[in-house]
Amino acid sequence: MLLLTGLTFLVPALASVAAPIGEQMFTNPVVSHGADPWVIRWNSKYYFCQSRHNDGVRVCEATNLEDIGKGDWKSVWQPAQGMPYSKEVWAPELHFIQGKWYIYVAADNGDNSNHRMYVLEGTSADPTQPFILKGKIAAPEDRWAIDGTVLEMPDGKLYFIWSGWEGTENVAQNLYIAPMSNPWTINGPRVCISRPEHLWERHGLPINEGPEVLWHGTRLFIIYSASGMWTDDYCLGELAWNGGDVLNPKSWAKKPEPVFSSNTAVFGPGHCSFVMSPDGKEDWIVYHAHVHRGSGSVRDVRIQRFIWNADGLPDFGTPVSAGIPLARPSGEE
């Protein structure tokens, strides 16, 4: 996605220096405290989905991307106490699939080794209204799982992608994919499509997590987070689909270097989501970063425009420092 060369400075230049004089601007962070940001654009609105103090899920609606988290938060799901999914509610994602809203979220009973993925189903066409628990979503192996997302192919077939353990011990986190028969059911074995093999994927612990689907025409990418999120070396990696069976590991090629990583002013950028500007002309990444060097799990939420290279690969540039004026997404009111 991004080559750590001269091209890495294209995004800051595009976003700040090249902005027309007098154009309205914003600065990062757009949310002063938050992590694992999931934003989706629907019916001219942006919906920001977050865990609520790690014990529930909430959604906030915004007209402008830089205003996510500034409106009224709506609690859409609160788990019952004493259940396998009552604690450590992590990284919820809001998806509109086959005419209904679903939220995919990791949770456990207070013991991290019991983390599994769960599906919530919307009760309304409005994603800020309550969701109900549909059930656990798991491959036949039923291993530790977090950060689940859904890949919908052009033919309508669904696949679940997540971060998980190979066995029952926390040795490493790999990325897995499995077929789905409907938005809440996996109906086949999991397949590992990425392991933390490079040094930049192994700071703190060997970790691949936070997989996110990114389409560009017919080109498909999975952008994922690597290394321990508590380290300043947390970063984003890229898997590119070569057009084969998505369940075949050989259909995915890993870029050998990170595509979005720390610099002298921004630390631990990762766990992202992707949206378009209101006029559909610009691509934007939403991500979290450490509030300062060495802040560990204390993170904030930032947004930044990215571009596409002539070869069809995404170029995220380098993370722009907090406080630097950036042009708002095109087409905003």
Side-chain angles (χ1 to χ4, degrees), residues 10-27:
L10 282 176
V11 172
L14 232 149
S16 54
V17 178
I21 296 176
E23 186 172 358
Q24 289 181 298
M25 315 289 277
F26 76 94
T27 60

Side-chain angles (χ1 to χ4, degrees), residues 97-98 102 104 119 134 137 150 158-160 179-187:
I97 304 173
Q98 298 177 356
Y102 296 92
Y104 299 86
V119 184
K134 190 71 174 178
I137 181 167
V150 175
L158 301 176
Y159 300 87
F160 200 58
M180 304 173 74
S181 57
N182 55 49
W184 59 90
T185 307
I186 288 174
N187 69 334

Side-chain angles (χ1 to χ4, degrees), residues 42 47 59 61 74 76 94 96 101 122-131:
W42 182 260
Y47 293 94
V59 175
E61 177 188 293
K74 303 294 185 182
V76 299
L94 175 67
F96 191 75
W101 287 107
T123 59
S124 166
D126 179 357
T128 67
Q129 296 302 303
F131 281 66

Side-chain angles (χ1 to χ4, degrees), residues 155-176:
D155 61 5
K157 291 182 179 179
L158 301 176
Y159 300 87
F160 200 58
I161 307 172
W162 71 99
S163 176
W165 296 350
E166 183 172 10
T168 58
E169 300 294 331
N170 186 12
V171 176
Q173 289 176 224
N174 306 322
L175 297 184
Y176 294 93

Side-chain angles (χ1 to χ4, degrees), residues 43-55:
N43 286 345
S44 301
K45 299 288 185 181
Y46 292 100
Y47 293 94
F48 182 29
C49 186
Q50 288 272 268
S51 64
R52 180 182 178 275
H53 307 304
N54 288 335
D55 67 356

